[in-house]
Each structure stands twice: as C-alpha cells, then as structure tokens.
Amino acid sequence: MSSHNEPVQPTHFDAPDASPTQATPERGSAPASGVPSWVIPALVGLGVLAVIVVFWLPGKVSTPVANPETEPTNASATANSAAGSGSPSTMPSEEASPFLDAQMAKQRKAAQDMLGELLDVQEQLQLRGIEQWAGEEYASAIEFANQGDAFYKERKFSEAIASYEQALTGLLALEASIPAALEAQTEIARNAIEASDVEEATNALTRGELIEPGNPELAALAARAGKLPELIIAMEAASTAESAGNLATAQTKLTEATTIDPQHQFAGEELARVKAAYINQQFNDAMSDGYAALDESRYDSARSAFRRADGLQPGSSEAASALQEVAAAQTASRLAALQRDGDRYEANEQWQQAVDAYKKAAEIDTNIAFAREGLRRSESRARLDKQFRTAIAEPQRLSDLAVAETMEKLLGQAQRIQPRGKVLNDQINTLERLLQLANTSIAVTLKSDMETEVIVYKVARMGRFDKREMTLRPGTYTAVGTRNGYRDVRKEFKISHDSPPGVIVIACTESI
C-alpha cells in the first residue's frame, strides 16, 4: 500500500503468454500414420484461431501496453501471483473466452484512465500543499486510491475503478475547495493578526502561500504580520499606562499602534475606547475644578472650567446645569454685593452712590425688593444732597431772591427728616447761616457825574446822580452807565459781609 505522502503510481501488468493448443489424439483413433484426412485441417484451424485470440483480438479491444508510468506499482508481482493461483478468471485455459478477455482489457484500460486523471489532480493538490491544510480529507481520498491499487493487483478492475472514482471524487472536491481553503487561511491569518498571535498568523500565511502563491491579499496580510511585534509593544505600553491611570500616555501609545497598522481593528477599537475614557476623565476633572472655584466664589474660573467640560462633551446636561449654577450664584452674589454697597452708601449719606448701586441691582432683577425700596429712599435724598452741595459751593446764588426762597423750602423739608445723619445736619446748619447772610443787606455807595445814566441790573434804574446810598443783598452785581457822545461804561462788583465794596464810581468820561 502506498504512503499518503507519495502519489499513486501505475502498476506494470504483463499479459499472460499465449501458445497454440496442442491437439490431443482422441481415444480409439488411429496412429499418426493412419490419421484421418479431416484431422489435419482441424488442427490448422485451431492454431490460426489461437493466434487470432492471442495476438489480433487483444489489439482490437485496445489492450493497454504495460507501462510503469501508468499502472499501479508491483503489478508484475500481482500478475505472477495471480497466474500461479490457477484462478479461472486470470489463467488461460481450454475454456477461456475472447469476449471476457476483451471486457477485462477494457476495464483495465478504464481503470488506468481513471488513475491517470487521479494522478494529475493529486499532483496539483500536492503542489498546493494539500497535506498542510486538508490532511485528513486528503488521506481519506488516498486510502480509496490505495484500495483501488489492491483491487487492480487482484485484477478486479471494476472494483478498482470504483475505488479510484471515489478517490478522484474526493480529490476533485478538495480541488474545488481551494478558494474556500484559501479564504479560510486568509481569515485565520487575519484573526491571528487581530489577536496579535504572530505564530498563528505566520503559519496560516504559510499555508495560504502554498494554496495560492503570490496572492496579493496574503501579501498584504504578511506585511501587517511583519509589523505585529512593533504593534504589540505599543499595545502593551498602552495597557500599562492605562492600568496606572495615565490615559494620556495610553492614548498616545494606541495612536502609535494604529499608525503602525491602520487596519488593526482591535487597536482602533482600543484607541476609541481609551480616547473616550480620557475625554470622560478630563470632563470630570473640569467639572471638579469648576465646582471648587464656585465654592470659593471664583465665578470666572468656575465658568471657564464648566465651558471646558462642555467643549469635551458638547451638549452635556451636567455642564449646562453647572453653567446655570454659576450664573445664578454670580447674580445672587452681585445682588448681595450691591445691597451691601447701597446700605453702606446710605449709612455714609452718599446718596448718589446709593442710587447707582440700587439701579444696578434693578437692572439685574427688576423685581428685587431691596432695589425698589432703596431707590425710593435714596433718590429723593440724592436730589436734596445735590441741591444743598451746590448751594453751599455757590453761596452767591442765594443773593437771588427766588433761589433763596427755594432753598428755604428745602431746608424746611430737610429739618423734618428723621433720623438725620451728620452730613445732612452740617448741610442744614451751613445753609441756614448762608441764607441768613444772604438775607442781610449791606450798605453800598454809588458815585456818578450827574451826566451819566446809571442802571444796576436786577436792582433798579438809578438815573443821573452824584452820589447814592443803597442796601443790597450779598452777591455779584453789574452797573452800566450811558451818556450821549461818550462810550458806555460797565462795572461788575461783588458784595459780601466779609469784604465791604467801598465807593463804586460809574461815569462815562471817554468821548466818541
């Protein structure tokens, strides 16, 4: 029986010797010297028939010539054994049939043809490394071929053909499975690369190269497999970094891995996972920073941190809620600060500053109670304060009777305010004194030349005079003198209790 690793070999089979049948005298016949005349022609006919059967008839039924390259091995030994066995189907005898011999020769030829095709398919499969990727199926097919050899050696050609046919069917099925086998080895290599199994990938690629040498997909996978050691180093470094909580380094290493082999799905999936985890870590850190700043009323820092978190996870409800918290907390803090400012300004009788603070609070929230009430208190006091400060800064305005009367009314209102602060008390006292002075007239002497018409604005038309005495309220006055043929004169003088004006001369002396 042939080895599974060796191709089926043809058996050399020798045809049995054929010789003319010797005539045997019949019982009771005459000796040769007295042979009947019909015997000799009969013997000649039998000889001719024997020659025809042995030499001419096998050629007509295409009895194959024994060929070591097309018949199973050890066929000669099988033939000799069969010849010596005395089997009626293999030994020539007096009862051998030309028809049966022809049938057997035809079957042997069919077996040899079947074997030739089988050997061709076997050779092609062995060139494709069949035993490396379908060893069991191949061995099973070869077993049928070996059984066919055994039948052939026993000259059981029908059984040999059946076994060869089973073997050929198996080998043809293996040949037909080559694309699927190639795809299977390709898939094994691909999966091994994904699993970072260098040995498995190399073995699968070797088997695939046997199946279809030069396959471009296998070449591409071989290039990827060659980069596996470098990729494995990067992946292991990423895993170590991630275990240590260093997601930034893990992401960097996984990025290197995907650069080494952009088609490595597992590396890509790991990069996506770690990248998401790193983003989540950064998001949580940003949120923690934001709340820490919020607790310390560092609103700008808190807002910046929460916006950073929102940038990491756009549309995050947590970040949006935190930003609203910052806005609300900052608004509340701002309002509280403005309320404190308003209270302080009121206490210090800085009424305009108090108005400004309460107005800012009202701009933030028009419904805030302290702002409305604070404005009601401070706006009237701010107007009064402004008027008092102006009157004190410009006391000469009190010389105007209308101004003085208005200020007296304001003083009456201020005196009714309770409680009053020191600033208001000082203002009231100062204005009372200024009003008293403003309402106390001062004697003034005017002198002219009896030719000049004199007018003191807002006081009276004085006419022509030489000297005139009059009393005026403290303040600044303007006197104008006119005379035909002379230039007008204009003189401004100030009257106060602290500095008497002296004699005021008004006369036109410059002719035109």
Side-chain angles (χ1 to χ4, degrees):
M1 184 175 293
S2 301
S3 169
H4 296 166
N5 297 325
E6 298 177 359
V8 177
Q9 299 295 331
T11 300
H12 180 76
F13 191 78
D14 294 329
D17 294 333
S19 60
T21 305
Q22 300 295 326
T24 305
E26 296 183 4
R27 292 180 183 178
S29 63
S33 59
V35 175
S37 60
W38 59 268
V39 172
I40 293 174
L43 291 175
V44 172
L46 289 174
V48 171
L49 179 62
V51 170
I52 291 172
V53 169
V54 173
F55 295 102
W56 183 81
L57 184 60
K60 288 299 183 179
V61 297
S62 302
T63 302
V65 178
N67 186 340
E69 295 180 357
T70 59
E71 295 186 2
T73 57
N74 299 324
S76 298
T78 304
N80 293 335
S81 173
S85 64
S87 171
S89 64
T90 59
M91 288 184 62
S93 67
E94 293 178 357
E95 298 179 359
S97 168
F99 178 71
L100 292 177
D101 287 344
Q103 280 189 322
M104 184 167 290
K106 184 176 182 180
Q107 290 176 349
R108 183 171 72 169
K109 177 65 168 61
Q112 291 175 346
D113 291 344
M114 180 75 69
L115 180 60
E117 185 177 357
L118 186 153
L119 291 173
D120 289 341
V121 177
Q122 180 193 33
E123 181 180 6
Q124 292 301 317
L125 288 174
Q126 285 187 326
L127 289 175
R128 291 177 178 266
I130 181 67
E131 292 170 293
Q132 300 296 319
W133 50 272
E136 291 184 7
E137 295 84 351
Y138 176 70
S140 177
I142 295 303
E143 183 61 33
F144 283 115
N146 290 333
Q147 291 175 7
D149 277 357
F151 286 129
Y152 191 100
K153 291 173 184 177
E154 296 173 3
R155 301 182 65 77
K156 297 179 180 180
F157 299 121
S158 296
E159 290 84 344
I161 290 171
S163 294
Y164 288 153
E165 186 173 12
Q166 284 184 289
L168 179 60
T169 299
L171 293 182
L172 288 173
L174 290 174
E175 186 177 50
S177 72
I178 285 176
L182 177 63
E183 178 58 31
Q185 295 305 318
T186 302
E187 185 66 17
I188 291 172
R190 190 181 295 114
N191 292 336
I193 290 173
E194 285 296 323
S196 297
D197 189 336
V198 179
E199 182 178 1
E200 179 70 9
T202 301
N203 292 338
L205 290 169
T206 300
R207 292 190 293 268
E209 184 65 19
L210 288 172
I211 296 172
E212 186 177 317
N215 180 274
E217 187 173 3
L218 291 176
L221 289 173
R224 292 181 60 198
K227 298 177 181 179
L228 268 181
E230 186 181 358
L231 182 140
I232 291 171
I233 292 173
M235 294 285 287
E236 289 177 348
S239 178
T240 301
E242 183 179 6
S243 299
N246 190 348
L247 295 180
T249 300
Q251 180 175 319
T252 300
K253 291 299 179 182
L254 287 170
T255 301
E256 291 179 10
T258 56
T259 302
I260 294 168
D261 184 358
Q263 299 180 42
H264 201 281
Q265 294 181 3
F266 181 68
E269 291 168 358
E270 284 294 283
L271 175 59
R273 181 186 63 79
V274 169
K275 185 179 292 185
Y278 185 38
I279 289 174
N280 191 58
Q281 183 186 71
Q282 290 176 295
F283 174 84
N284 292 333
D285 290 344
M287 292 295 290
S288 297
D289 293 344
Y291 278 116
L294 182 59
D295 290 341
E296 297 173 2
S297 299
R298 292 184 290 110
Y299 302 113
D300 289 343
S301 297
R303 185 178 291 104
S304 176
F306 291 139
R307 284 176 177 168
R308 187 169 71 251
D310 183 65
L312 290 166
Q313 292 187 4
S316 168
S317 58
E318 293 180 56
S321 177
L323 285 169
Q324 290 177 350
E325 288 184 52
V326 172
Q330 188 171 21
T331 297
S333 175
R334 179 62 175 155
L335 288 172
L338 289 171
Q339 184 176 20
R340 289 193 300 270
D341 290 344
D343 291 342
R344 184 178 71 256
Y345 291 138
E346 285 192 55
N348 294 333
E349 297 181 80
Q350 296 173 288
W351 299 106
Q352 187 55 51
Q353 290 89 330
V355 169
D356 294 341
Y358 292 136
K359 281 184 176 179
K360 289 178 181 178
E363 289 172 359
I364 295 172
D365 186 352
T366 57
N367 297 319
I368 198 74
F370 80 83
R372 292 198 308 271
E373 295 172 359
L375 281 173
R376 188 174 60 252
R377 288 191 308 269
S378 59
E379 283 181 331
S380 60
R381 292 296 301 273
R383 285 193 299 270
L384 181 64
D385 180 73
K386 183 178 181 180
Q387 290 171 318
F388 280 4
R389 290 179 183 276
T390 301
I392 292 171
E394 301 174 4
Q396 66 276 10
R397 293 180 65 248
L398 296 175
S399 62
D400 188 316
L401 188 57
V403 174
E405 288 175 352
T406 300
M407 194 56 59
E408 285 178 353
K409 290 179 181 179
L410 291 176
L411 274 175
Q413 294 175 6
Q415 289 167 348
R416 290 192 297 271
I417 294 175
Q418 294 295 333
R420 294 197 302 265
K422 181 179 182 302
V423 173
L424 181 58
N425 273 328
D426 290 346
Q427 288 174 335
I428 290 173
N429 294 333
T430 301
L431 284 172
E432 285 178 342
R433 181 174 58 80
L434 291 176
L435 278 172
Q436 183 179 5
L437 292 174
N439 290 328
T440 302
S441 298
I442 300 173
V444 177
T445 300
L446 297 179
K447 187 172 177 57
S448 187
D449 57 1
M450 295 298 293
E451 298 293 335
T452 301
E453 293 284 342
V454 177
I455 298 174
V456 178
Y457 286 141
K458 295 184 180 181
V459 177
R461 182 181 292 273
M462 308 298 293
R464 297 177 184 181
F465 60 89
D466 178 51
K467 185 176 182 181
R468 179 75 58 88
E469 299 285 341
M470 62 185 307
T471 58
L472 298 173
R473 296 167 62 85
T476 300
Y477 296 88
T478 301
V480 177
T482 61
R483 180 181 175 183
N484 290 333
Y486 290 82
R487 294 185 182 281
D488 295 344
V489 295
R490 182 185 185 89
K491 179 171 289 190
E492 186 176 275
F493 57 94
K494 184 177 181 181
I495 300 173
S496 70
H497 294 284
D498 298 331
S499 56
V503 178
I504 299 169
V505 178
I506 303 172
C508 296
T509 59
E510 185 180 353
S511 61
I512 299 175

